[in-house]
Amino acid sequence: MKSLFKGIKGIIIVILLIIIFIIGYFISDGYKLYKSAIQNVSIEEKVKEIRENPNYVKIEDISKEYKEAVIAIEDKRFNEHFGIDFYSIGRAFISNLQNKKIIGGGSTITQQLAKNMYFEQKKKLSRKVAEVFVVLDLEENYSKDEILELYVNIIYFGDGHYGIKEAANGYLDKEPNELNLNDSTLLAGLPNAPSVYQLSNKSNYTYQRQIIVINAMLENNYISKEEAENLINKIRKSKGI
């Protein structure tokens, strides 16, 4: 019996060592990827490049409704965490297990910004590790308003529109500070899957996504139940959904 327990103990130790080795490998590989990325173009240079875009919009020139819609649907604890939201990651992990497929990853706005700045084409796990190092740099050196501002100026909305100004101008013929609740909830839903939700598709999926955004705003107390119900009813009636 003792020999059996020793054997089991030995197997557990070997498994733990393998897990530690694998984790160590990906952390090391991710750090190398991060260092290589910022040595080629520093975070300060990347930020400067984004801000020099002629369509770049300052946070104070974006409507309150749109900013709230983005936070509600993308990262409701954006103003509370340090760039990584372990609660959302855990919830996404459980949800993925329950559905037996990946339906969400729990990425924060800062993580999405880091990915778009450096690692959009990288698919391996090391990219997620490298992303974390960039996230920590961003959170240390930039305010939440600056991070949100950079994010909404870099994301893709479909139909060739990058950034909130291009999306507002191209889709609605409005400026970002003119976006009302209907406009804001519509545009905030597009970056989740631009090829699916882009307005040129004329798909009901776009407006079903908008309703999800509206409910997220209600859940996070950005709008009242009456505002949510009125807008949802208006969308369903006009789009036949």
Side-chain angles (χ1 to χ4, degrees):
M1 185 64 71
K2 283 186 177 181
S3 61
L4 177 62
F5 284 134
K6 282 184 178 180
I8 294 173
K9 182 180 178 182
I11 291 170
I12 292 172
I13 290 172
V14 169
I15 292 172
L16 288 174
L17 288 173
I18 291 172
I19 292 172
I20 291 169
F21 174 80
I22 292 172
I23 292 172
Y25 168 79
F26 280 112
I27 291 175
S28 175
D29 198 43
Y31 183 73
K32 288 177 184 175
L33 182 59
Y34 154 74
K35 291 298 288 186
S36 174
I38 65 170
Q39 282 171 1
N40 287 334
V41 184
S42 70
I43 290 176
E44 291 78 12
E45 290 173 306
K46 274 282 187 182
V47 168
K48 182 182 178 185
E49 179 184 311
I50 295 168
R51 286 173 170 168
E52 285 177 344
N53 187 308
N55 286 320
Y56 190 85
V57 184
K58 298 290 287 182
I59 196 75
E60 57 266 26
D61 295 321
I62 300 172
S63 78
K64 176 174 173 284
E65 289 84 356
Y66 176 72
K67 289 180 284 191
E68 290 175 344
V70 170
I71 292 172
I73 194 61
E74 295 292 344
D75 185 2
K76 64 182 181 181
R77 277 174 291 277
F78 174 67
N79 290 304
E80 301 165 18
H81 59 63
F82 62 95
I84 308 294
D85 189 348
F86 291 108
Y87 176 84
S88 291
I89 291 171
R91 186 180 61 182
F93 178 74
I94 292 170
S95 180
N96 292 337
L97 282 180
Q98 290 173 339
N99 289 276
K100 298 180 181 178
K101 62 180 180 179
I102 297 175
I103 60 172
S107 290
T108 65
I109 284 173
T110 318
Q111 284 177 280
Q112 293 179 61
L113 174 60
K115 182 185 75 173
N116 278 279
M117 287 173 70
Y118 285 105
F119 309 116
E120 196 167 9
Q121 305 306 317
K122 306 287 184 180
K123 300 298 182 184
K124 58 183 182 177
L125 183 58
S126 299
R127 186 267 290 174
K128 295 297 291 184
V129 177
E131 190 180 279
V132 169
F133 287 109
V134 175
V135 164
L136 296 177
D137 282 349
L138 287 168
E139 290 279 342
E140 181 180 357
N141 294 292
Y142 297 91
S143 69
K144 289 291 187 179
D145 276 352
E146 288 175 313
I147 289 169
L148 181 61
E149 179 182 292
L150 290 163
Y151 172 74
V152 300
N153 275 281
I154 200 175
I155 49 176
Y156 184 53
F157 291 82
D159 288 324
H161 302 310
Y162 287 88
I164 184 57
K165 180 173 174 59
E166 286 188 17
N169 291 171
Y171 282 136
L172 304 171
D173 195 26
K174 291 185 177 183
E175 292 302 320
N177 64 351
E178 297 174 327
L179 300 174
N180 59 29
L181 183 61
N182 182 45
D183 304 328
S184 298
T185 51
L186 175 65
L187 295 184
L190 304 184
N192 177 258
S195 62
V196 176
Y197 300 130
Q198 59 190 2
L199 299 193
S200 62
N201 290 347
K202 302 184 186 303
S203 169
N204 280 341
Y205 289 128
T206 304
Y207 302 100
Q208 290 167 358
R209 174 68 178 171
Q210 183 182 8
I211 290 171
I212 292 173
V213 177
I214 295 166
N215 283 323
M217 292 189 74
L218 173 60
E219 181 185 336
N220 289 279
N221 300 312
Y222 287 125
I223 57 176
S224 68
K225 185 177 180 180
E226 182 182 4
E227 287 177 301
E229 288 178 347
N230 287 342
L231 184 51
I232 289 171
N233 289 336
K234 179 181 175 183
I235 293 166
R236 285 180 171 155
K237 184 176 180 180
S238 64
K239 303 302 176 184
I241 56 175

